[in-house]
Amino acid sequence: MRPLFRGPRRPAYASVGTTLIRVRDVVVEFGEKRVLDGIDLDIRAGEVLAIVGPNGAGKSTLLNVITGDAELVSGNVEVDGHAWHAWTGRELAMRRAVLLQQVDVSFPFTALEVTEMGRSPWANLPESQNDEQIVHGALARTETSHLVARSYSSLSGGERARVALARVLSQTAAAMLLDEPTAALDIRHQEQVLATARRYAATGSAVVVIIHDLDLAGAYADRVAVLAHGRIAADGPPEEVFSAELLSHVYDYPVHVVPDPITGAPVIVPIRTPKEQLL
């Protein structure tokens, strides 16, 4: 008798605070260089986690660890309580959507077609009945609805970044992992992306953002993990973690940390030499 087709295992509903992805004692090396050294990190439902740190600290490598795309010297990574290899590629795509720094498309797809790619894990499943609504909602949230007929390759860098984010939103994964999502954007769209991340987390999903802008991290993240020399130097609410002493040490540059006059979120101000003294 032929076995019944059960289809891919869907993610179960996770209450806020549940650990969706667990990283334990991870070590990664490139040649003789140890890039990550003993990393422990929990990715939790309903939370925006910002990972910050200076250039070369290992942020993008840590994202690759979280997505299951890095080769580990030691340690382990679990999603939904199981190792990455316990899931099929499609099941993983239901559990985590990844936005890389550079998103290239080899064929002349339109912006709409690129966004629709995010629905592929749900093809031929009951969830696919909502594809059109989900895709157009993602385009609206990223203000890219007017670009749907344009070739993705013809878009500006900022427009591509926003369409790529629309694709990731369309995936409706349990965790959304973003690598420098604001790098190519103006200030308005930078704020929009982080506000969108907060709304996504408010649905009960987890969001991880690799970001250089400490002010954006302080304003929008529930937690920040500060990475330095391949280790996590601090992990907690930005109001507690972002101290002038820690940041000045990690970035090897003196800073002040002051509260935003409206929100109270920490604002990082570099201590600069007056320009007259630079002549």
Side-chain angles (χ1 to χ4, degrees):
M1 184 174 180
R2 182 177 298 176
L4 294 175
F5 173 71
R6 299 183 182 277
R9 293 165 292 176
R10 320 298 212 281
Y13 172 78
S15 59
V16 171
T18 301
T19 297
L20 300 180
I21 302 174
R22 188 186 309 274
V23 178
R24 284 294 177 272
D25 200 25
V26 160
V27 173
V28 176
E29 294 179 348
F30 295 156
E32 297 182 356
K33 180 178 174 57
R34 180 159 290 194
V35 180
L36 297 176
D37 189 7
I39 297 293
D40 290 332
L41 194 66
D42 289 339
I43 313 302
R44 302 174 187 139
E47 188 174 71
V48 177
L49 168 64
I51 299 176
V52 303
N55 292 331
K59 298 187 297 297
S60 292
T61 302
L62 178 53
L63 186 70
N64 289 336
V65 167
I66 295 169
T67 61
D69 296 323
E71 184 176 346
L72 310 184
V73 173
S74 61
N76 62 82
V77 181
E78 294 182 351
V79 57
D80 280 357
H82 300 283
W84 284 111
H85 57 73
W87 307 103
T88 67
R90 187 179 188 183
E91 290 168 340
L92 285 176
M94 293 175 172
R95 288 164 171 78
R96 56 104 172 96
V98 185
L99 178 63
L100 302 176
Q101 289 186 42
Q102 184 71 29
V103 180
D104 295 317
V105 175
S106 302
F107 297 95
F109 293 113
T110 65
L112 176 59
E113 290 169 332
V114 169
T115 306
E116 288 173 336
M117 292 176 188
R119 297 303 301 158
S120 59
W122 308 98
N124 301 317
L125 296 175
E127 291 86 349
S128 66
Q129 297 175 9
N130 301 315
D131 282 0
E132 184 175 355
Q133 179 182 357
I134 291 170
V135 165
H136 285 281
L139 289 164
R141 288 197 296 277
T142 55
E143 295 186 353
T144 53
S145 297
H146 64 292
L147 301 174
V148 291
R150 292 269 303 277
S151 168
Y152 181 81
S153 61
S154 73
L155 303 179
S156 70
E159 289 170 337
R160 289 188 192 189
R162 286 153 52 206
V163 170
L165 177 61
R167 174 189 60 78
V168 170
L169 289 170
S170 293
Q171 200 168 327
T172 60
M176 185 166 66
L177 313 174
L178 311 176
D179 193 1
E180 293 290 345
T182 61
L185 302 180
D186 58 37
I187 187 171
R188 178 173 179 272
H189 288 108
Q190 288 178 357
E191 298 288 332
Q192 179 195 63
V193 165
L194 270 296
T196 298
R198 282 210 62 81
R199 295 187 188 103
Y200 196 84
T203 67
S205 301
V207 179
V208 178
V209 185
I210 306 291
I211 193 165
H212 274 294
D213 192 315
L214 298 176
D215 292 340
L216 286 173
Y220 288 100
D222 299 292
R223 283 169 57 214
V224 291
V226 181
L227 201 60
H229 306 294
R231 292 178 173 271
I232 293 179
D235 180 355
E239 296 81 5
E240 299 176 9
V241 168
F242 281 173
S243 69
E245 180 181 6
L246 174 70
L247 296 178
S248 297
H249 174 71
V250 166
Y251 286 89
D252 193 25
Y253 196 89
V255 300
H256 292 302
V257 179
V258 297
D260 182 284
I262 297 175
T263 67
V267 176
I268 289 75
V269 183
I271 300 175
R272 299 187 175 103
T273 302
K275 57 186 177 183
E276 295 81 5
Q277 298 181 20
L278 298 174
L279 300 177

